[in-house]
Amino acid sequence: MTRNRSPFSQGVDDGSVRPDVDPQQRAVLIVSILRGLAYQWLLEPDAVDLVAAYDEIIDLVATTLAP
């Protein structure tokens, strides 16, 4: 998790991420979202558009991290 937390910590430090973001919690949340998406795709690959879902995740993360 340290590797996943680092970009968020750096973003908080350089001001590109809101200062109230907890880097550890945000890393856990994002990894969980990605794992859940992968699991859904494994269960029903025809029902999950990975590219569209990934784009939505990127948008969600960018929106919630912006200062």
Side-chain angles (χ1 to χ4, degrees):
M1 255 328 139
T2 301
R3 180 183 62 195
N4 296 324
R5 180 184 64 216
S6 181
F8 301 112
S9 296
Q10 291 170 356
V12 170
D13 291 344
D14 70 19
S16 63
V17 172
R18 288 190 351 250
D20 62 325
V21 168
D22 179 331
Q24 178 67 27
Q25 291 301 325
R26 198 52 57 107
V28 168
L29 177 66
I30 292 170
V31 169
S32 297
I33 290 169
L34 293 172
R35 286 181 178 167
L37 176 62
Y39 183 66
Q40 287 178 343
W41 179 78
L42 286 171
L43 292 175
E44 293 186 75
D46 294 332
V48 177
D49 182 344
L50 285 177
V51 174
Y54 181 78
D55 289 342
E56 288 289 326
I57 292 167
I58 295 298
D59 185 52
L60 176 70
V61 170
T63 301
T64 62
L65 294 177

